[in-house]
Amino acid sequence: MIANSGDLSMMVRRCLLTFKPFRIFVVGIGFFSLCFLMTSLGGQFSAKRPGDPPFTVRAEVLGGPESRGVLRKISEMLEVILKRMDALSKLGNTTDAHRLEELSSALDRIQPIGLVERIQAIAQNMSDMAVKVEQILQRSISTNKVREGVFGQCETPKDPRYPDCSSKMDWMRARWTSDPCYAFYGVDGSDCSFLVYLSEVEWFCPPLAWRNHTATPAPKPLPRIQAVFQSDIGGLMEQVGTGKESLSFMKRRMRRLASQWASAARRLDDKLRNQWRGQKRILVHVGFLTEESGDVFSPKVLKGGPLGEMVQWADILTALHVLGHNLKISVSLKELHGFLGVPPGRGSCPLTGSLPFDLIYTDYHGLQQMKQHMGLSLRKYKCHIRVIDTFGTEPAYNHEEYATLHGYRTNWGYWNLHGQQYMTMFPHTPDNSFMGFVAEELNETERLAIQRNKLNNMAVVYGKEASMWKGKATFLTTLHRYMEIHGTVYFETQRPPEVPAFVKNHGLLAQAELQQLLRRAKLFIGFGFPYEGPAPLEAIANGCIFLQPKFNPPHSSLNHEFFRGKPTSRKVSSQHPYAEQHVGRPHVYTVDFNNSEEFDAAIREIMRIDVEPYLPYEYTCEGMLERLHAYIQNQDFCSPEAPFPPVNSSGTWSPSGPFVPQPNSSVLAWASNASDFPSWPPLSALRLVASLEGQSCVEACQNAELFCEPALFRFINIREAFNALDFPCEGLDSEMNHLLPAFSAEQAECGLQQDPLLFSCAGSSIKYRRLCPCRDYRNGQVALCRDCL
């Protein structure tokens, strides 16, 4: 009877069960190999299936008469062996030598004789291999024991200078497999590898004595290179790339303004008189355009979506390029990883090297992406970051601990940056730096053409989306009695029903066509939204009067859904506060649209007057280049500031300190004979002002025709400043409060600021009269003081 694979498997099991009494290693291995061989052959004798691997026995060979004969012989051999084994297992008092003799006799009867030799050879090879593996394991164990004996078994060091070492070790033991980046740095699950990582890659544990700490030569500082103005934007256009409509929009804008940037660069170069400008290595990561952030803007570029952010980013890129800096541009996480040197994994580990950039410009989306992928390196290098932030971030919202404790926590703040690392579209928040954008300038020929072609009875509405026109029919009807109204509302197949029939809708226009429309129009009218966009300044630059609604009460995070969650308490008094406050009449009219008489009177007044195109200097190409140059060369948030006042310096001052009164004014200035401390803006620009109760420093400085300067707060955060202002301080305390330094009249107490991150121009309370560091400013450039260049 021919044994099948099931019979063979049963025989093998019997082999293993009856072989227990034998302890002779070589014979045991040989017999085990025989059983293993039988099992393998039994499996191979089954029919070959399509797709079997090439190393299986071919069915056409084993399925023939020869293979059946082999099966029969193997079956007979196993039966003989098993009978002998059964008999031997019953001889409990038989010696091992007798058992070996009996087994040898059984094996001698096996035919063919050559099969046993082959089995024994296989067994010997397996035995040799086992010995070699055992030797390798013993050497490894011995090496580890030696290492652990020499190095204290990699115990967690207890060093008071590294208090987090123990907890970080516990975390690594539990979570080191959570991110492949740990294995990338050599972590293998052992305590030694944890300690090496935590002491050499991160900095939570002390250096290990048994590690080779041969100091690697510090990289040589890069040679200082002077930045040279560039007029050719060809290289910039290549870097911006393609593939997104948003990028195409930005490139079209760059080309259109290229000649204006080049002319502005020549003028600024002459103004700086060959002043040394160090070239910076700059990364620009536009986070909101990455696919990972959703890139909601690109699909809307041709459908009336908001373009303000893309206008600003296009101008930032162009300005940095024209200023002559070494620029890299990223609009994807892959590009960001490559530029920064992010290790493979999920972002838990630091960068693979030092930061290869002096500055990084990004937005809130990009900042969040860097947090996720830079690990602890973000904490180390965040002083290099500049965040483009349209509406601004006030210090009370930026300081994570303070925001959490006092109800200022939002989705966008709490990054613990210096307030001036945030850069805004308009100079509405002095706590931040004003970045801005540019509007097209007109040459003399274009200005004359506008004067000839202006239509006194033509108005253009600021609103590209149909939803903005809802509920606006009443005052549009009033306006239509005086003017022909034009719109630029996007539509695909039919006219949007929200747009009144008397409005001539041109559909969405390209920038050049919109410019031509504005150059013929007398009036550009806003609906109240969008807030603070670039279009009103562009209209004013093309000779239009901008008419906008007044908000009463002002819009803020307390009463308006749009501002809710934004990291600012600013109160917006109109659709475009900059146009209202910094431009004003006759170019800007801000009225209550719900008051029909006031609205009608404003229209009739506008019909009677003529205005020329006007563009504030700070929104010209030269103004933006000047401002950005000053920031790059002077703002430094990485070098720790020296304590102020220095030790023993106050002993040399009079009770009023280094402040002297200005003639015929309550404003105090920094005394010219006082010590000059390193500062930008320089101390010559400082003016000390006390606010009224319930007034912010923004308002107090504006009332004195000055601008609040948060960088100068540390010079007035001293007792002598209260003395100079004649505040009767019965007590002097220091605490974390974004309204300090300030004087409380009710308690006759003076309070100093404890945390420099909370120095803030914003914020007010009826309990406090605040101490405010104001400064002068350049004509047409509020971001810079007169001596700031």
Side-chain angles (χ1 to χ4, degrees):
M1 182 175 183
I2 300 174
N4 58 27
S5 61
D7 296 331
L8 289 172
S9 298
M10 184 176 296
M11 291 177 185
V12 170
R13 287 195 294 271
R14 290 180 62 189
C15 290
L16 295 174
L17 289 172
T18 57
F19 198 58
K20 289 181 181 178
F22 298 94
R23 296 181 175 87
I24 302 174
F25 180 73
V26 174
V27 177
I29 290 293
F31 191 71
F32 178 82
S33 301
L34 176 63
C35 295
F36 178 76
L37 179 63
M38 295 304 101
T39 305
S40 301
L41 290 173
Q44 290 170 352
F45 292 160
S46 59
K48 169 104 172 139
R49 295 183 300 273
D52 282 345
F55 300 107
T56 55
V57 181
R58 297 178 61 192
E60 59 267 26
V61 175
L62 296 179
E66 296 84 0
S67 65
R68 287 195 293 273
V70 172
L71 280 171
R72 186 181 295 108
K73 287 186 177 182
I74 291 174
S75 176
E76 291 173 354
M77 286 187 290
L78 285 174
E79 288 294 336
V80 172
I81 292 172
L82 291 174
K83 287 178 181 179
R84 290 286 183 176
M85 297 291 291
D86 287 338
L88 290 170
S89 65
K90 297 175 182 178
L91 301 176
N93 298 324
T94 307
T95 63
D96 288 343
H98 181 64
R99 293 174 185 173
L100 180 58
E101 183 180 348
E102 291 289 335
L103 181 60
S104 298
S105 175
L107 292 174
D108 288 340
R109 296 167 61 91
I110 296 177
Q111 299 294 332
I113 297 175
L115 180 62
V116 175
E117 282 79 359
R118 288 196 294 273
I119 292 172
Q120 288 176 336
I122 293 171
Q124 187 61 45
N125 287 337
M126 292 176 65
S127 177
D128 294 342
M129 185 182 299
V131 170
K132 290 179 181 179
V133 171
E134 180 69 15
Q135 290 173 347
I136 293 171
L137 290 173
Q138 290 296 334
R139 284 199 301 269
S140 176
I141 293 171
S142 176
T143 302
N144 285 336
K145 286 183 177 179
V146 171
R147 178 182 298 170
E148 290 177 356
V150 173
F151 304 130
Q153 299 182 350
C154 291
E155 293 180 354
T156 304
K158 293 179 172 52
D159 189 328
R161 295 172 299 174
Y162 298 88
D164 298 322
C165 185
S166 179
S167 61
K168 288 293 180 180
M169 282 290 289
D170 291 339
W171 190 96
M172 290 293 290
R173 291 185 187 106
R175 300 290 303 279
W176 77 273
T177 57
S178 64
D179 195 323
C181 71
Y182 296 113
F184 171 81
Y185 277 113
V187 175
D188 60 11
S190 66
D191 279 8
C192 287
S193 68
F194 297 154
L195 282 172
V196 170
Y197 175 83
L198 291 173
S199 63
E200 298 179 13
V201 180
E202 297 184 7
W203 50 85
F204 293 105
C205 293
L208 305 175
W210 50 268
R211 291 285 290 177
N212 182 7
H213 291 292
T214 303
T216 56
K220 294 181 179 180
L222 295 174
R224 294 185 67 200
I225 301 176
Q226 180 161 357
V228 179
F229 286 105
Q230 303 181 79
S231 57
D232 183 5
I233 65 168
L236 174 64
M237 301 295 284
E238 291 181 8
Q239 283 200 72
V240 171
T242 58
K244 294 176 180 285
E245 188 56 45
S246 52
L247 298 179
S248 298
F249 171 85
M250 291 164 65
K251 291 170 75 169
R252 289 193 295 269
R253 178 175 177 83
M254 291 172 179
R255 291 192 196 96
R256 192 170 64 252
L257 296 177
S259 61
Q260 294 192 19
W261 284 110
S263 299
R266 288 192 294 270
R267 293 193 298 271
L268 181 58
D269 195 17
D270 292 340
K271 183 185 297 184
L272 295 177
R273 299 191 181 101
N274 297 320
Q275 182 184 121
W276 171 270
R277 297 186 305 112
Q279 187 187 67
K280 304 293 184 181
R281 299 167 300 161
I282 298 177
L283 171 65
V284 178
H285 177 60
V286 191
F288 79 93
L289 290 183
T290 62
E291 297 298 333
E292 291 77 8
S293 70
D295 189 15
V296 298
F297 287 87
S298 292
K300 296 182 179 181
V301 169
L302 300 178
K303 297 183 178 181
L307 302 178
E309 287 85 355
M310 280 169 274
V311 165
Q312 187 181 34
W313 277 106
D315 294 347
I316 291 170
L317 287 169
T318 310
L320 293 171
H321 173 81
V322 170
L323 285 170
H325 296 291
N326 184 354
L327 196 61
K328 300 294 182 185
I329 303 170
S330 164
V331 291
S332 72
L333 278 188
K334 182 179 179 180
E335 291 171 321
L336 179 68
H337 287 186
F339 287 140
L340 292 178
V342 174
R346 300 186 181 93
S348 302
C349 302
L351 302 181
T352 56
S354 58
L355 186 71
F357 299 100
D358 301 302
L359 291 169
I360 299 176
Y361 290 86
T362 189
D363 51 26
Y364 264 124
H365 293 282
L367 190 58
Q368 184 64 42
Q369 290 167 352
M370 284 190 283
K371 178 184 178 181
Q372 293 171 351
H373 297 276
M374 288 177 67
L376 292 173
S377 292
L378 180 65
R379 184 192 306 176
K380 182 177 181 180
Y381 296 122
K382 68 180 182 180
C383 60
H384 299 270
I385 295 174
R386 306 293 184 267
V387 183
I388 308 304
D389 175 17
T390 302
F391 295 99
T393 298
E394 294 172 8
Y397 297 83
N398 167 69
H399 193 292
E400 183 175 18
E401 178 186 355
Y402 187 80
T404 303
L405 291 175
H406 295 86
Y408 292 101
R409 184 75 182 244
T410 69
N411 292 332
W412 299 103
Y414 65 82
W415 288 95
N416 293 321
L417 300 177
H418 191 289
Q420 292 184 300
Q421 289 179 253
Y422 299 98
M423 313 193 87
T424 58
M425 184 173 280
F426 292 94
H428 47 55
T429 306
D431 290 321
N432 306 150
S433 298
F434 162 46
M435 170 61 79
F437 59 93
V438 305
E440 294 187 44
E441 298 178 72
L442 304 176
N443 57 37
E444 193 59 34
T445 301
E446 291 169 329
R447 295 175 72 91
L448 292 173
I450 286 176
Q451 291 177 353
R452 289 195 305 268
N453 298 327
K454 275 290 177 186
L455 300 176
N456 200 48
N457 64 339
M458 178 178 175
V460 174
V461 173
Y462 182 19
K464 296 177 294 181
E465 296 184 16
S467 59
M468 298 178 183
W469 293 67
K470 291 181 179 179
K472 307 299 189 299
T474 301
F475 65 79
L476 284 177
T477 301
T478 301
L479 176 61
H480 182 56
R481 293 206 302 264
Y482 299 94
M483 293 186 174
E484 181 182 88
I485 304 175
H486 294 249
T488 58
V489 185
Y490 169 79
F491 66 94
E492 291 183 355
T493 57
Q494 61 184 6
R495 180 188 180 92
E498 296 87 350
V499 180
F502 54 76
V503 175
K504 183 177 181 180
N505 186 31
H506 299 264
L508 195 64
L509 296 178
Q511 187 66 22
E513 295 171 322
L514 178 60
Q515 292 277 89
Q516 295 303 316
L517 189 66
L518 293 174
R519 290 179 182 184
R520 291 188 292 121
K522 174 71 172 285
L523 179 67
F524 188 63
I525 181 171
F527 284 162
F529 188 84
Y531 298 99
E532 300 178 309
L537 287 188
E538 293 173 345
I540 295 168
N542 281 286
C544 291
I545 295 173
F546 178 50
L547 176 63
Q548 65 169 344
K550 178 190 299 181
F551 299 149
N552 189 18
H555 292 179
S556 70
S557 59
L558 299 177
N559 63 10
H560 204 275
E561 188 62 32
F562 179 84
F563 289 102
R564 191 161 290 123
K566 290 184 169 56
T568 176
S569 57
R570 187 163 59 96
K571 298 177 180 179
V572 179
S573 58
S574 62
Q575 181 176 358
H576 207 290
Y578 176 85
E580 176 188 4
Q581 298 165 10
H582 292 262
V583 180
R585 297 194 181 199
H587 302 280
V588 178
Y589 279 69
T590 304
V591 300
D592 183 359
F593 280 24
N594 294 319
N595 186 326
S596 58
E597 293 183 1
E598 184 179 352
F599 182 83
D600 188 87
I603 298 297
R604 286 187 276 108
E605 183 176 339
I606 289 170
M607 295 288 292
R608 292 194 300 267
I609 64 173
D610 293 317
V611 297
E612 293 185 359
Y614 173 73
L615 180 62
Y617 173 76
E618 55 201 357
Y619 284 96
T620 65
C621 292
E622 184 180 347
M624 185 169 182
L625 287 175
E626 178 183 273
R627 185 167 61 249
L628 194 49
H629 151 74
Y631 291 153
I632 291 172
Q633 301 302 324
N634 295 289
Q635 283 186 338
D636 181 5
F637 305 112
C638 295
S639 300
E641 293 179 335
F644 186 86
V647 178
N648 298 326
S649 66
S650 59
T652 64
W653 293 336
S654 66
S656 61
F659 305 103
V660 295
Q662 293 283 90
N664 303 319
S665 173
S666 60
V667 175
L668 303 178
W670 189 267
S672 58
N673 60 353
S675 299
D676 188 17
F677 299 95
S679 172
W680 192 85
L683 284 169
S684 60
L686 173 59
R687 302 291 183 267
L688 175 59
V689 172
S691 78
L692 301 176
E693 291 174 343
Q695 191 178 52
S696 71
C697 283
V698 176
E699 298 165 321
C701 292
Q702 284 178 348
N703 289 346
E705 298 183 347
L706 298 168
F707 201 75
C708 186
E709 179 51 66
L712 298 176
F713 256 115
R714 67 191 188 103
F715 296 105
I716 69 168
N717 192 44
I718 56 177
R719 175 188 292 271
E720 289 78 7
F722 293 101
N723 295 338
L725 292 168
D726 294 326
F727 285 134
C729 300
E730 294 184 6
L732 183 68
D733 292 325
S734 176
E735 64 176 284
M736 290 171 54
N737 187 325
H738 72 288
L739 301 176
L740 301 182
F743 171 72
S744 171
E746 181 180 349
Q747 299 176 348
E749 288 186 353
C750 296
L752 298 177
Q753 180 59 255
Q754 192 176 80
D755 192 330
L757 284 184
L758 286 172
F759 283 138
S760 177
C761 294
S764 62
S765 170
I766 58 174
K767 297 179 180 179
Y768 291 122
R769 294 191 64 187
R770 301 194 57 193
L771 270 61
C772 304
C774 308
R775 61 161 171 82
D776 56 24
Y777 54 88
R778 297 172 68 83
N779 186 30
Q781 183 78 284
V782 297
L784 302 179
C785 68
R786 291 169 188 163
D787 298 328
C788 278
L789 282 180

